Amino acid sequence: QVQLVQSGAEVKKPGASVKVSCKASGYTFTSYDINWVRQATGQGLEWMGWMNPNSGNTGYAQKFQGRVTMTRNTSISTAYMELSSLRSEDTAVYYCARGIAVAGTRRFDYWGQGTLVTVSS
Amino acid sequence: EIVLTQSPGTLSLSPGERATLSCRASQSVSSSYLAWYQQKPGQAPRLLIYGASSRATGIPDRFSGSGSGTDFTLTISRLEPEDFAVYYCQQYGSPVTFGQGTKVEIK
């Protein structure tokens, strides 16, 4: 069965960076995009960007351009999202989600369990 | 960027009642790229509907989606206790955007 398993919670100081991992299993990792979505406590879902694990190509939401980097290690079927220059407003749960495009439709069909990142001095 | 506006913000209903949730886009969205997700407290979102009207694997037929252009609707025909949650619409354009969510709560 398809699973996305994320790394554990992180506590970071303002100005630091965080790197969250997302390990895929149950399917061919390089066949589907990985997207990253975050959610501050009590707030809605905010898309951060996507990565094609096969090519390494990425696309980032304008809000995060220059601060986010999405990478992968295909040998261990793992995607990474690194966010730098952290501030308190970056405190949120970060999700990875598989993006699927089939028969002309597109959606996020599987999600990781989420990783809480807390930014606090 | 396409802005998705969901209404109402909160829907207070009783089990067995019908729920109708709205998602309005700031510009036309391809139906193929419109999805709905359900999120319960402490859980990741779960895909319910894709292509505006197709149910995802394992989703009960009490959930249905409709609409086109700028107006989309998620309908839950008869609310079950496990359906009380927050629902988000999403469009898979560039960039991807989500609505702000509709909370369906027990009346």
Side-chain angles (χ1 to χ4, degrees), chain A residues 8-67:
Chain A
E10 302 262 15
V11 179
K12 296 292 182 180
K13 293 194 181 304
S17 297
V18 68
K19 191 171 186 176
V20 179
S21 67
C22 172
K23 182 171 177 59
S25 62
Y27 73 98
T28 302
F29 176 63
T30 51
S31 295
Y32 303 91
D33 291 349
I34 293 289
N35 290 260
W36 290 89
V37 176
R38 76 177 187 180
Q39 185 173 40
T41 302
Q43 302 301 307
L45 302 170
E46 182 177 33
W47 180 76
M48 300 179 68
W50 64 269
M51 181 193 64
N52 180 311
N54 184 47
S55 63
N57 288 346
T58 56
Y60 303 140
Q62 189 168 7
K63 175 177 179 176
F64 299 101
Q65 290 272 5
R67 276 211 306 147

Side-chain angles (χ1 to χ4, degrees), chain A residues 11-14 86-88 91 117-121:
Chain A
V11 179
K12 296 292 182 180
K13 293 194 181 304
L86 290 168
R87 34 208 188 230
S88 58
T91 294
V117 175
T118 303
V119 183
S120 174
S121 54

Side-chain angles (χ1 to χ4, degrees), chain A residues 31-35 97-101 107-110, chain B residues 92:
Chain A
S31 295
Y32 303 91
D33 291 349
I34 293 289
N35 290 260
R98 190 178 83 162
I100 187 169
R107 66 270 193 187
F108 295 172
D109 62 347
Y110 288 93
Chain B
Y92 207 130

Side-chain angles (χ1 to χ4, degrees), chain A residues 62-96:
Chain A
Q62 189 168 7
K63 175 177 179 176
F64 299 101
Q65 290 272 5
R67 276 211 306 147
V68 71
T69 305
M70 296 177 187
T71 57
R72 88 289 192 209
N73 182 334
T74 56
S75 67
I76 56 171
S77 299
T78 300
Y80 303 93
M81 185 283 299
E82 184 170 20
L83 188 62
S84 62
S85 303
L86 290 168
R87 34 208 188 230
S88 58
E89 310 89 88
D90 294 318
T91 294
V93 175
Y94 289 75
Y95 294 102
C96 59

Side-chain angles (χ1 to χ4, degrees), chain B residues 7-19:
Chain B
S7 61
T10 302
L11 202 49
S12 298
L13 295 168
S14 299
E17 290 193 292
R18 181 185 188 89

